[in-house]
Structure formats: structure tokens, C-alpha cells
Amino acid sequence: MKLDAEWITGFVDGEGCFHVGINKHPEMSSGFQVLPELTVVQHERDVQVLHALKSHFGCGVVRTNHGDRMAYRVRNVDHLRKHIVPHFIKHPLHTRKRQDFIKFERILRKMEAGDHLTAEGIEDIRRIAAQMNRGQSR
Amino acid sequence: MKLDAEWITGFVDGEGCFHVGINKHPEMSSGFQVLPELTVVQHERDVQVLHALKSHFGCGVVRTNHGDRMAYRVRNVDHLRKHIVPHFIKHPLHTRKRQDFIKFERILRKMEAGDHLTAEGIEDIRRIAAQMNRGQSR
């Protein structure tokens, strides 16, 4: 299955989620680990669409999410920067997820600058991440 | 907001629903009314996307669905035939909703032929409609 770039943006506008997790991690110099990820969840009957996304972007994994749900997930920061971000800059989202993407991309840039390695940087990233995925019902 | 045709198909693959309702209706010669519809539901914060769909297709209405959910809905059979069906033939869906659309289009053709006005035709349409939206979780 070959996917059109605009189809992908439309599908992610519907089904995708840009999320940044911040977990305690004593081995990191800041005491925290920042985990940005793009996730697209589908019923297992449509797993072929998730594999087509993986094949289109050339990165990420398709795994069981929970129960009969499968997820396409990209967590590798380099892959997010090189493959995911350029797509959504060239083919912008139309729902409020566009605002999430803008914050997501901003956090990735801060990580590139090493901000996540300092306590002040983590606070800054946490503040931006807290404004994402608001009012999301799933 | 101007929407790309492939974006629309991707978004409908995620958020849309092709449905055919069959209701008792004593005034119809067959005793039943067949109600095909395309629905796209969104949180009210993204109502502008629903208006952009309406504007793109040049038909349908945007109304409250329930609570904080809005719906773009096309029920007029002529509009479905002239504006909705050609779009999804030219820009095919990639999820299992494609199978729903194929059945939906078949029922619209049967209605065009007047099948919904006879008891046998209604049985036939009911059989096709019963195979739609299977395993849908919402």
C-alpha cells in the first residue's frame, strides 16, 4: 500500500498523537528523561495501514498497543527530527494537533541544543509539554 | 482553510463513517425508509475543519452531535451521489472503511434504480447494510 503525503497528514490529524513524556531518571544529569513520540493507534484489522506508515517514513515500529489495538510509534529522536518533523512542516496538520506538533518540534530543537540535560531546561520543556494534548478525549 | 483531496480521504479514513440506516416508514411503498449518510465527528475545538469539509464538498451540514462534539453530515442522496461518491472513487480510502464505502455506493446505486421501493429490494439493501461498520469501536 502506497500512501500519499497529504493522506498521511489527514490520517494523523484524525488518529495520531504527538506526545512528550518526562520521566524521573537518576542517571541523567538533569534527573529526568524526555521522551518525545509520535503514535498512531488502529484496530488490528487495519494494521496494514500502520505498516504502510512505517514503510513511508522509513522508521518507527508497529506493536500491540493494548487488546485488539495496534500502534505505530516513533520514539528515536534522530528519526523524529529527520523523517517525521520535515513531513509535517511540508504537509501541515489542520486540526488543533498542529499546535501540539509545533510544541513537539520546539522541544526536539531544545533537546538538540542539550536543554534537557539541565534542571532549568527540563522545567522549560515540562512547561511546553504540559500545554500539549489538551482536551484530548482519548 | 483549504483542504487537499488526499488529506480529506486520510481524515475520513480516521474519523469518518459511512452508514445506511433503515427505518420503518408506513408512508413508503416498501414500508421502510433507507437513510444513507456520511458523518465526520470532531470535538468542537476543531469545528473549522468540519466547515472546511462542507465548503470543499459544497453540501452537507455542520451541527452539534452530542455534548462538545460537532458533526459534518451529508444525507441528501443526490449530494452523496454527485459530490461524495466521486471523491472517494478518485481518492480511495485505505482502511477497512473502504469496504464500507463500496457497500454504501452499491446501496446508493440500488436506490437510484428504485430498489428501496419494493420489499425484496429493502431486504437486499438491509443485507448489504448489515455488513457495514463491523467491529467499529465508536
Side-chain angles (χ1 to χ4, degrees), chain A residues 1 3 7-8 11-12 15-16 38-66 68-74, chain B residues 94-95:
Chain A
M1 185 192 302
L3 302 177
W7 183 93
I8 290 173
F11 196 63
V12 170
E15 303 285 283
L38 165 64
T39 312
V40 183
V41 174
Q42 282 295 283
H43 189 277
E44 59 187 4
R45 69 174 174 270
D46 282 315
V47 69
Q48 84 286 0
V49 169
L50 301 182
H51 284 293
L53 285 173
K54 179 181 167 181
S55 158
H56 177 95
F57 286 120
C59 63
V61 294
V62 176
R63 296 269 169 79
T64 299
N65 191 38
H66 55 84
D68 55 9
R69 301 265 146 187
M70 303 292 290
Y72 170 61
R73 212 178 286 277
V74 186
Chain B
H94 290 305
T95 67

mmCIF file of all heavy atoms in Angstrom, chain A residues 1 3 7-8 11-12 15-16 38-66 68-74, chain B residues 94-95:
data_model
loop_
_atom_site.group_PDB
_atom_site.id
_atom_site.type_symbol
_atom_site.label_atom_id
_atom_site.label_comp_id
_atom_site.label_asym_id
_atom_site.label_seq_id
_atom_site.Cartn_x
_atom_site.Cartn_y
_atom_site.Cartn_z
ATOM 1 N N MET A 1 0.849 -1.202 0.000
ATOM 2 C CA MET A 1 0.000 0.000 0.000
ATOM 3 C C MET A 1 0.887 1.255 0.000
ATOM 4 O O MET A 1 1.737 1.410 0.868
ATOM 5 C CB MET A 1 -0.865 0.008 1.272
ATOM 6 C CG MET A 1 -1.872 1.133 1.326
ATOM 7 S SD MET A 1 -2.607 1.290 2.976
ATOM 8 C CE MET A 1 -3.322 -0.344 3.216
ATOM 9 N N LEU A 3 1.156 5.298 0.314
ATOM 10 C CA LEU A 3 0.360 6.376 0.900
ATOM 11 C C LEU A 3 0.791 7.735 0.350
ATOM 12 O O LEU A 3 1.977 8.027 0.251
ATOM 13 C CB LEU A 3 0.510 6.371 2.419
ATOM 14 C CG LEU A 3 0.123 5.082 3.143
ATOM 15 C CD1 LEU A 3 0.400 5.212 4.626
ATOM 16 C CD2 LEU A 3 -1.331 4.720 2.897
ATOM 17 N N TRP A 7 -2.558 12.396 2.435
ATOM 18 C CA TRP A 7 -3.396 11.387 3.109
ATOM 19 C C TRP A 7 -2.843 11.142 4.512
ATOM 20 O O TRP A 7 -3.597 11.085 5.486
ATOM 21 C CB TRP A 7 -3.428 10.069 2.314
ATOM 22 C CG TRP A 7 -4.328 9.040 2.940
ATOM 23 C CD1 TRP A 7 -5.643 8.813 2.660
ATOM 24 C CD2 TRP A 7 -3.985 8.125 4.004
ATOM 25 N NE1 TRP A 7 -6.140 7.809 3.474
ATOM 26 C CE2 TRP A 7 -5.144 7.378 4.301
ATOM 27 C CE3 TRP A 7 -2.818 7.871 4.724
ATOM 28 C CZ2 TRP A 7 -5.170 6.388 5.283
ATOM 29 C CZ3 TRP A 7 -2.838 6.892 5.723
ATOM 30 C CH2 TRP A 7 -4.000 6.158 5.987
ATOM 31 N N ILE A 8 -1.514 11.002 4.612
ATOM 32 C CA ILE A 8 -0.876 10.731 5.907
ATOM 33 C C ILE A 8 -1.184 11.852 6.898
ATOM 34 O O ILE A 8 -1.561 11.597 8.046
ATOM 35 C CB ILE A 8 0.647 10.551 5.731
ATOM 36 C CG1 ILE A 8 0.920 9.243 4.995
ATOM 37 C CG2 ILE A 8 1.362 10.589 7.084
ATOM 38 C CD1 ILE A 8 2.372 9.022 4.617
ATOM 39 N N PHE A 11 -4.742 11.572 8.008
ATOM 40 C CA PHE A 11 -4.937 10.427 8.901
ATOM 41 C C PHE A 11 -4.372 10.737 10.292
ATOM 42 O O PHE A 11 -4.999 10.413 11.308
ATOM 43 C CB PHE A 11 -4.256 9.195 8.299
ATOM 44 C CG PHE A 11 -4.699 7.900 8.911
ATOM 45 C CD1 PHE A 11 -6.023 7.486 8.813
ATOM 46 C CD2 PHE A 11 -3.794 7.068 9.564
ATOM 47 C CE1 PHE A 11 -6.446 6.278 9.368
ATOM 48 C CE2 PHE A 11 -4.206 5.862 10.128
ATOM 49 C CZ PHE A 11 -5.526 5.462 10.027
ATOM 50 N N VAL A 12 -3.217 11.374 10.344
ATOM 51 C CA VAL A 12 -2.613 11.734 11.632
ATOM 52 C C VAL A 12 -3.440 12.832 12.311
ATOM 53 O O VAL A 12 -3.578 12.836 13.538
ATOM 54 C CB VAL A 12 -1.133 12.137 11.452
ATOM 55 C CG1 VAL A 12 -0.559 12.752 12.725
ATOM 56 C CG2 VAL A 12 -0.307 10.915 11.041
ATOM 57 N N GLU A 15 -6.082 10.456 13.749
ATOM 58 C CA GLU A 15 -5.734 9.324 14.611
ATOM 59 C C GLU A 15 -4.400 9.427 15.330
ATOM 60 O O GLU A 15 -4.069 8.562 16.131
ATOM 61 C CB GLU A 15 -5.717 8.042 13.756
ATOM 62 C CG GLU A 15 -7.013 7.743 13.035
ATOM 63 C CD GLU A 15 -8.076 7.214 13.969
ATOM 64 O OE1 GLU A 15 -8.003 6.048 14.332
ATOM 65 O OE2 GLU A 15 -8.975 8.000 14.347
ATOM 66 N N GLY A 16 -3.611 10.434 14.993
ATOM 67 C CA GLY A 16 -2.263 10.497 15.554
ATOM 68 C C GLY A 16 -2.169 11.274 16.850
ATOM 69 O O GLY A 16 -3.094 11.995 17.232
ATOM 70 N N LEU A 38 5.704 10.072 18.438
ATOM 71 C CA LEU A 38 4.510 10.119 17.587
ATOM 72 C C LEU A 38 3.884 8.739 17.649
ATOM 73 O O LEU A 38 4.574 7.727 17.471
ATOM 74 C CB LEU A 38 4.885 10.438 16.134
ATOM 75 C CG LEU A 38 3.776 10.153 15.102
ATOM 76 C CD1 LEU A 38 2.543 11.040 15.326
ATOM 77 C CD2 LEU A 38 4.300 10.352 13.676
ATOM 78 N N THR A 39 2.574 8.699 17.922
ATOM 79 C CA THR A 39 1.862 7.423 17.970
ATOM 80 C C THR A 39 0.614 7.499 17.096
ATOM 81 O O THR A 39 -0.093 8.502 17.109
ATOM 82 C CB THR A 39 1.401 7.103 19.420
ATOM 83 O OG1 THR A 39 2.504 7.299 20.292
ATOM 84 C CG2 THR A 39 0.901 5.681 19.543
ATOM 85 N N VAL A 40 0.365 6.439 16.349
ATOM 86 C CA VAL A 40 -0.890 6.300 15.609
ATOM 87 C C VAL A 40 -1.462 4.937 15.978
ATOM 88 O O VAL A 40 -0.818 3.906 15.750
ATOM 89 C CB VAL A 40 -0.691 6.388 14.081
ATOM 90 C CG1 VAL A 40 -2.037 6.320 13.358
ATOM 91 C CG2 VAL A 40 0.057 7.662 13.702
ATOM 92 N N VAL A 41 -2.641 4.922 16.586
ATOM 93 C CA VAL A 41 -3.253 3.670 17.041
ATOM 94 C C VAL A 41 -4.396 3.287 16.106
ATOM 95 O O VAL A 41 -5.154 4.142 15.651
ATOM 96 C CB VAL A 41 -3.769 3.820 18.501
ATOM 97 C CG1 VAL A 41 -4.536 2.587 18.948
ATOM 98 C CG2 VAL A 41 -2.605 4.095 19.443
ATOM 99 N N GLN A 42 -4.493 2.004 15.797
ATOM 100 C CA GLN A 42 -5.578 1.487 14.964
ATOM 101 C C GLN A 42 -6.018 0.120 15.478
ATOM 102 O O GLN A 42 -5.223 -0.591 16.103
ATOM 103 C CB GLN A 42 -5.112 1.281 13.509
ATOM 104 C CG GLN A 42 -5.023 2.535 12.696
ATOM 105 C CD GLN A 42 -6.363 3.194 12.488
ATOM 106 O OE1 GLN A 42 -7.166 2.767 11.670
ATOM 107 N NE2 GLN A 42 -6.635 4.258 13.234
ATOM 108 N N HIS A 43 -7.254 -0.233 15.173
ATOM 109 C CA HIS A 43 -7.708 -1.600 15.406
ATOM 110 C C HIS A 43 -6.820 -2.526 14.581
ATOM 111 O O HIS A 43 -6.389 -2.167 13.492
ATOM 112 C CB HIS A 43 -9.169 -1.727 14.981
ATOM 113 C CG HIS A 43 -9.785 -3.029 15.384
ATOM 114 N ND1 HIS A 43 -9.626 -4.178 14.637
ATOM 115 C CD2 HIS A 43 -10.540 -3.371 16.445
ATOM 116 C CE1 HIS A 43 -10.272 -5.164 15.231
ATOM 117 N NE2 HIS A 43 -10.831 -4.703 16.331
ATOM 118 N N GLU A 44 -6.590 -3.734 15.084
ATOM 119 C CA GLU A 44 -5.681 -4.674 14.403
ATOM 120 C C GLU A 44 -6.116 -4.985 12.969
ATOM 121 O O GLU A 44 -5.292 -5.319 12.125
ATOM 122 C CB GLU A 44 -5.535 -5.968 15.207
ATOM 123 C CG GLU A 44 -6.852 -6.687 15.430
ATOM 124 C CD GLU A 44 -6.734 -7.876 16.380
ATOM 125 O OE1 GLU A 44 -5.644 -8.110 16.945
ATOM 126 O OE2 GLU A 44 -7.745 -8.584 16.558
ATOM 127 N N ARG A 45 -7.420 -4.832 12.678
ATOM 128 C CA ARG A 45 -7.869 -5.115 11.307
ATOM 129 C C ARG A 45 -7.223 -4.140 10.306
ATOM 130 O O ARG A 45 -7.141 -4.439 9.122
ATOM 131 C CB ARG A 45 -9.396 -5.045 11.196
ATOM 132 C CG ARG A 45 -9.972 -3.652 11.356
ATOM 133 C CD ARG A 45 -11.465 -3.562 11.104
ATOM 134 N NE ARG A 45 -11.910 -2.219 11.437
ATOM 135 C CZ ARG A 45 -12.338 -1.844 12.638
ATOM 136 N NH1 ARG A 45 -12.431 -2.716 13.616
ATOM 137 N NH2 ARG A 45 -12.680 -0.591 12.875
ATOM 138 N N ASP A 46 -6.764 -2.985 10.770
ATOM 139 C CA ASP A 46 -6.131 -2.005 9.879
ATOM 140 C C ASP A 46 -4.627 -1.882 10.101
ATOM 141 O O ASP A 46 -4.027 -0.859 9.776
ATOM 142 C CB ASP A 46 -6.821 -0.641 10.019
ATOM 143 C CG ASP A 46 -8.142 -0.620 9.268
ATOM 144 O OD1 ASP A 46 -8.157 -1.110 8.116
ATOM 145 O OD2 ASP A 46 -9.135 -0.133 9.808
ATOM 146 N N VAL A 47 -4.029 -2.959 10.597
ATOM 147 C CA VAL A 47 -2.586 -2.923 10.881
ATOM 148 C C VAL A 47 -1.776 -2.651 9.610
ATOM 149 O O VAL A 47 -0.688 -2.069 9.677
ATOM 150 C CB VAL A 47 -2.128 -4.225 11.596
ATOM 151 C CG1 VAL A 47 -2.184 -5.425 10.657
ATOM 152 C CG2 VAL A 47 -0.733 -4.053 12.173
ATOM 153 N N GLN A 48 -2.311 -3.015 8.454
ATOM 154 C CA GLN A 48 -1.553 -2.806 7.201
ATOM 155 C C GLN A 48 -1.334 -1.316 6.951
ATOM 156 O O GLN A 48 -0.330 -0.937 6.334
ATOM 157 C CB GLN A 48 -2.222 -3.519 6.012
ATOM 158 C CG GLN A 48 -3.345 -2.782 5.307
ATOM 159 C CD GLN A 48 -4.654 -2.753 6.109
ATOM 160 O OE1 GLN A 48 -4.725 -3.290 7.218
ATOM 161 N NE2 GLN A 48 -5.681 -2.116 5.571
ATOM 162 N N VAL A 49 -2.229 -0.468 7.422
ATOM 163 C CA VAL A 49 -2.052 0.980 7.275
ATOM 164 C C VAL A 49 -0.866 1.444 8.143
ATOM 165 O O VAL A 49 -0.084 2.304 7.725
ATOM 166 C CB VAL A 49 -3.347 1.732 7.668
ATOM 167 C CG1 VAL A 49 -3.104 3.222 7.774
ATOM 168 C CG2 VAL A 49 -4.451 1.462 6.644
ATOM 169 N N LEU A 50 -0.738 0.865 9.328
ATOM 170 C CA LEU A 50 0.376 1.234 10.208
ATOM 171 C C LEU A 50 1.708 0.794 9.589
ATOM 172 O O LEU A 50 2.703 1.530 9.643
ATOM 173 C CB LEU A 50 0.184 0.605 11.599
ATOM 174 C CG LEU A 50 -1.118 0.996 12.324
ATOM 175 C CD1 LEU A 50 -1.167 0.354 13.708
ATOM 176 C CD2 LEU A 50 -1.238 2.518 12.442
ATOM 177 N N HIS A 51 1.726 -0.385 8.983
ATOM 178 C CA HIS A 51 2.953 -0.840 8.310
ATOM 179 C C HIS A 51 3.277 0.063 7.113
ATOM 180 O O HIS A 51 4.448 0.317 6.827
ATOM 181 C CB HIS A 51 2.809 -2.300 7.873
ATOM 182 C CG HIS A 51 2.943 -3.267 9.012
ATOM 183 N ND1 HIS A 51 4.129 -3.449 9.686
ATOM 184 C CD2 HIS A 51 2.037 -4.066 9.628
ATOM 185 C CE1 HIS A 51 3.953 -4.343 10.659
ATOM 186 N NE2 HIS A 51 2.689 -4.731 10.648
ATOM 187 N N ALA A 52 2.233 0.546 6.440
ATOM 188 C CA ALA A 52 2.456 1.455 5.309
ATOM 189 C C ALA A 52 3.037 2.787 5.794
ATOM 190 O O ALA A 52 3.880 3.386 5.118
ATOM 191 C CB ALA A 52 1.153 1.672 4.543
ATOM 192 N N LEU A 53 2.618 3.248 6.977
ATOM 193 C CA LEU A 53 3.198 4.472 7.564
ATOM 194 C C LEU A 53 4.675 4.242 7.867
ATOM 195 O O LEU A 53 5.529 5.066 7.535
ATOM 196 C CB LEU A 53 2.466 4.854 8.860
ATOM 197 C CG LEU A 53 1.077 5.477 8.737
ATOM 198 C CD1 LEU A 53 0.450 5.634 10.124
ATOM 199 C CD2 LEU A 53 1.148 6.840 8.044
ATOM 200 N N LYS A 54 4.968 3.107 8.502
ATOM 201 C CA LYS A 54 6.352 2.765 8.850
ATOM 202 C C LYS A 54 7.212 2.724 7.586
ATOM 203 O O LYS A 54 8.325 3.258 7.562
ATOM 204 C CB LYS A 54 6.370 1.394 9.551
ATOM 205 C CG LYS A 54 7.748 0.932 9.937
ATOM 206 C CD LYS A 54 7.734 -0.438 10.597
ATOM 207 C CE LYS A 54 9.168 -0.973 10.663
ATOM 208 N NZ LYS A 54 9.235 -2.298 11.256
ATOM 209 N N SER A 55 6.665 2.112 6.556
ATOM 210 C CA SER A 55 7.407 1.991 5.302
ATOM 211 C C SER A 55 7.596 3.372 4.649
ATOM 212 O O SER A 55 8.667 3.674 4.121
ATOM 213 C CB SER A 55 6.645 1.013 4.401
ATOM 214 O OG SER A 55 6.977 1.213 3.075
ATOM 215 N N HIS A 56 6.570 4.229 4.717
ATOM 216 C CA HIS A 56 6.669 5.571 4.144
ATOM 217 C C HIS A 56 7.756 6.389 4.846
ATOM 218 O O HIS A 56 8.570 7.042 4.199
ATOM 219 C CB HIS A 56 5.324 6.291 4.242
ATOM 220 C CG HIS A 56 5.368 7.707 3.736
ATOM 221 N ND1 HIS A 56 5.023 8.044 2.453
ATOM 222 C CD2 HIS A 56 5.727 8.870 4.334
ATOM 223 C CE1 HIS A 56 5.178 9.348 2.275
ATOM 224 N NE2 HIS A 56 5.590 9.874 3.409
ATOM 225 N N PHE A 57 7.739 6.358 6.181
ATOM 226 C CA PHE A 57 8.687 7.195 6.935
ATOM 227 C C PHE A 57 10.056 6.526 7.069
ATOM 228 O O PHE A 57 11.044 7.195 7.397
ATOM 229 C CB PHE A 57 8.118 7.526 8.315
ATOM 230 C CG PHE A 57 7.018 8.551 8.298
ATOM 231 C CD1 PHE A 57 5.750 8.260 8.769
ATOM 232 C CD2 PHE A 57 7.259 9.827 7.793
ATOM 233 C CE1 PHE A 57 4.737 9.223 8.744
ATOM 234 C CE2 PHE A 57 6.260 10.789 7.766
ATOM 235 C CZ PHE A 57 4.993 10.483 8.239
ATOM 236 N N GLY A 58 10.116 5.209 6.844
ATOM 237 C CA GLY A 58 11.384 4.511 6.963
ATOM 238 C C GLY A 58 11.918 4.481 8.384
ATOM 239 O O GLY A 58 13.132 4.434 8.610
ATOM 240 N N CYS A 59 11.020 4.529 9.358
ATOM 241 C CA CYS A 59 11.438 4.455 10.765
ATOM 242 C C CYS A 59 10.239 4.081 11.619
ATOM 243 O O CYS A 59 9.113 4.024 11.132
ATOM 244 C CB CYS A 59 12.046 5.791 11.228
ATOM 245 S SG CYS A 59 10.898 7.182 11.186
ATOM 246 N N GLY A 60 10.494 3.845 12.910
ATOM 247 C CA GLY A 60 9.420 3.512 13.836
ATOM 248 C C GLY A 60 9.133 2.020 13.892
ATOM 249 O O GLY A 60 9.738 1.231 13.155
ATOM 250 N N VAL A 61 8.208 1.660 14.794
ATOM 251 C CA VAL A 61 7.839 0.248 14.955
ATOM 252 C C VAL A 61 6.322 0.124 15.007
ATOM 253 O O VAL A 61 5.613 1.067 15.371
ATOM 254 C CB VAL A 61 8.417 -0.358 16.266
ATOM 255 C CG1 VAL A 61 9.942 -0.423 16.210
ATOM 256 C CG2 VAL A 61 7.955 0.430 17.483
ATOM 257 N N VAL A 62 5.838 -1.062 14.627
ATOM 258 C CA VAL A 62 4.410 -1.398 14.763
ATOM 259 C C VAL A 62 4.308 -2.484 15.824
ATOM 260 O O VAL A 62 4.931 -3.537 15.687
ATOM 261 C CB VAL A 62 3.817 -1.894 13.425
ATOM 262 C CG1 VAL A 62 2.361 -2.332 13.611
ATOM 263 C CG2 VAL A 62 3.905 -0.794 12.361
ATOM 264 N N ARG A 63 3.591 -2.209 16.886
ATOM 265 C CA ARG A 63 3.484 -3.141 18.016
ATOM 266 C C ARG A 63 2.052 -3.172 18.527
ATOM 267 O O ARG A 63 1.271 -2.262 18.248
ATOM 268 C CB ARG A 63 4.372 -2.660 19.187
ATOM 269 C CG ARG A 63 5.840 -2.630 18.908
ATOM 270 C CD ARG A 63 6.510 -3.950 19.296
ATOM 271 N NE ARG A 63 7.877 -3.983 18.761
ATOM 272 C CZ ARG A 63 8.925 -3.361 19.310
ATOM 273 N NH1 ARG A 63 8.781 -2.687 20.427
ATOM 274 N NH2 ARG A 63 10.126 -3.446 18.758
ATOM 275 N N THR A 64 1.750 -4.190 19.328
ATOM 276 C CA THR A 64 0.456 -4.214 20.014
ATOM 277 C C THR A 64 0.403 -3.042 20.981
ATOM 278 O O THR A 64 1.389 -2.766 21.679
ATOM 279 C CB THR A 64 0.282 -5.534 20.794
ATOM 280 O OG1 THR A 64 0.319 -6.605 19.849
ATOM 281 C CG2 THR A 64 -1.049 -5.565 21.534
ATOM 282 N N ASN A 65 -0.723 -2.338 20.989
ATOM 283 C CA ASN A 65 -0.903 -1.244 21.929
ATOM 284 C C ASN A 65 -1.553 -1.806 23.195
ATOM 285 O O ASN A 65 -0.933 -1.905 24.232
ATOM 286 C CB ASN A 65 -1.774 -0.158 21.287
ATOM 287 C CG ASN A 65 -1.788 1.126 22.076
ATOM 288 O OD1 ASN A 65 -0.783 1.532 22.636
ATOM 289 N ND2 ASN A 65 -2.933 1.768 22.138
ATOM 290 N N HIS A 66 -2.825 -2.194 23.101
ATOM 291 C CA HIS A 66 -3.459 -2.980 24.157
ATOM 292 C C HIS A 66 -4.675 -3.637 23.544
ATOM 293 O O HIS A 66 -5.325 -3.077 22.660
ATOM 294 C CB HIS A 66 -3.833 -2.131 25.379
ATOM 295 C CG HIS A 66 -4.699 -0.961 25.068
ATOM 296 N ND1 HIS A 66 -6.066 -1.060 24.952
ATOM 297 C CD2 HIS A 66 -4.392 0.326 24.791
ATOM 298 C CE1 HIS A 66 -6.546 0.139 24.654
ATOM 299 N NE2 HIS A 66 -5.562 1.006 24.542
ATOM 300 N N ASP A 68 -7.000 -5.399 21.216
ATOM 301 C CA ASP A 68 -7.004 -5.598 19.764
ATOM 302 C C ASP A 68 -6.519 -4.345 19.026
ATOM 303 O O ASP A 68 -6.782 -4.171 17.848
ATOM 304 C CB ASP A 68 -8.398 -6.009 19.279
ATOM 305 C CG ASP A 68 -9.467 -5.014 19.707
ATOM 306 O OD1 ASP A 68 -9.108 -3.924 20.229
ATOM 307 O OD2 ASP A 68 -10.658 -5.312 19.527
ATOM 308 N N ARG A 69 -5.797 -3.475 19.753
ATOM 309 C CA ARG A 69 -5.286 -2.226 19.162
ATOM 310 C C ARG A 69 -3.797 -2.348 18.864
ATOM 311 O O ARG A 69 -3.036 -2.835 19.710
ATOM 312 C CB ARG A 69 -5.481 -1.061 20.139
ATOM 313 C CG ARG A 69 -6.920 -0.818 20.527
ATOM 314 C CD ARG A 69 -7.538 0.239 19.668
ATOM 315 N NE ARG A 69 -8.936 -0.040 19.434
ATOM 316 C CZ ARG A 69 -9.684 0.655 18.609
ATOM 317 N NH1 ARG A 69 -9.182 1.654 17.935
ATOM 318 N NH2 ARG A 69 -10.936 0.333 18.427
ATOM 319 N N MET A 70 -3.426 -1.874 17.695
ATOM 320 C CA MET A 70 -2.013 -1.848 17.305
ATOM 321 C C MET A 70 -1.568 -0.387 17.253
ATOM 322 O O MET A 70 -2.392 0.511 17.044
ATOM 323 C CB MET A 70 -1.817 -2.480 15.930
ATOM 324 C CG MET A 70 -2.311 -3.907 15.811
ATOM 325 S SD MET A 70 -1.334 -5.085 16.792
ATOM 326 C CE MET A 70 0.210 -5.089 15.884
ATOM 327 N N ALA A 71 -0.265 -0.158 17.434
ATOM 328 C CA ALA A 71 0.243 1.210 17.385
ATOM 329 C C ALA A 71 1.479 1.301 16.496
ATOM 330 O O ALA A 71 2.348 0.427 16.538
ATOM 331 C CB ALA A 71 0.591 1.702 18.786
ATOM 332 N N TYR A 72 1.520 2.343 15.689
ATOM 333 C CA TYR A 72 2.760 2.740 15.013
ATOM 334 C C TYR A 72 3.382 3.820 15.890
ATOM 335 O O TYR A 72 2.696 4.786 16.264
ATOM 336 C CB TYR A 72 2.461 3.305 13.624
ATOM 337 C CG TYR A 72 3.668 3.946 12.966
ATOM 338 C CD1 TYR A 72 4.809 3.214 12.698
ATOM 339 C CD2 TYR A 72 3.664 5.302 12.626
ATOM 340 C CE1 TYR A 72 5.923 3.809 12.111
ATOM 341 C CE2 TYR A 72 4.767 5.899 12.029
ATOM 342 C CZ TYR A 72 5.897 5.135 11.783
ATOM 343 O OH TYR A 72 6.990 5.727 11.204
ATOM 344 N N ARG A 73 4.652 3.638 16.219
ATOM 345 C CA ARG A 73 5.279 4.522 17.198
ATOM 346 C C ARG A 73 6.683 4.902 16.733
ATOM 347 O O ARG A 73 7.440 4.032 16.314
ATOM 348 C CB ARG A 73 5.376 3.754 18.520
ATOM 349 C CG ARG A 73 5.270 4.579 19.763
ATOM 350 C CD ARG A 73 5.343 3.668 20.983
ATOM 351 N NE ARG A 73 4.138 2.886 21.214
ATOM 352 C CZ ARG A 73 3.052 3.351 21.857
ATOM 353 N NH1 ARG A 73 3.044 4.588 22.325
ATOM 354 N NH2 ARG A 73 2.005 2.597 22.031
ATOM 355 N N VAL A 74 6.993 6.194 16.789
ATOM 356 C CA VAL A 74 8.365 6.655 16.509
ATOM 357 C C VAL A 74 8.863 7.370 17.756
ATOM 358 O O VAL A 74 8.258 8.364 18.196
ATOM 359 C CB VAL A 74 8.433 7.614 15.295
ATOM 360 C CG1 VAL A 74 9.896 7.939 14.955
ATOM 361 C CG2 VAL A 74 7.734 7.012 14.079
ATOM 362 N N HIS B 94 -8.016 3.890 2.579
ATOM 363 C CA HIS B 94 -7.010 2.837 2.756
ATOM 364 C C HIS B 94 -7.332 1.886 3.907
ATOM 365 O O HIS B 94 -6.736 0.832 4.009
ATOM 366 C CB HIS B 94 -5.634 3.458 2.992
ATOM 367 C CG HIS B 94 -5.070 4.131 1.782
ATOM 368 N ND1 HIS B 94 -4.921 3.483 0.580
ATOM 369 C CD2 HIS B 94 -4.623 5.395 1.583
ATOM 370 C CE1 HIS B 94 -4.401 4.316 -0.301
ATOM 371 N NE2 HIS B 94 -4.218 5.481 0.280
ATOM 372 N N THR B 95 -8.214 2.295 4.825
ATOM 373 C CA THR B 95 -8.577 1.404 5.928
ATOM 374 C C THR B 95 -9.770 0.547 5.490
ATOM 375 O O THR B 95 -10.256 0.649 4.363
ATOM 376 C CB THR B 95 -8.984 2.188 7.196
ATOM 377 O OG1 THR B 95 -10.216 2.876 6.931
ATOM 378 C CG2 THR B 95 -7.925 3.220 7.591
#
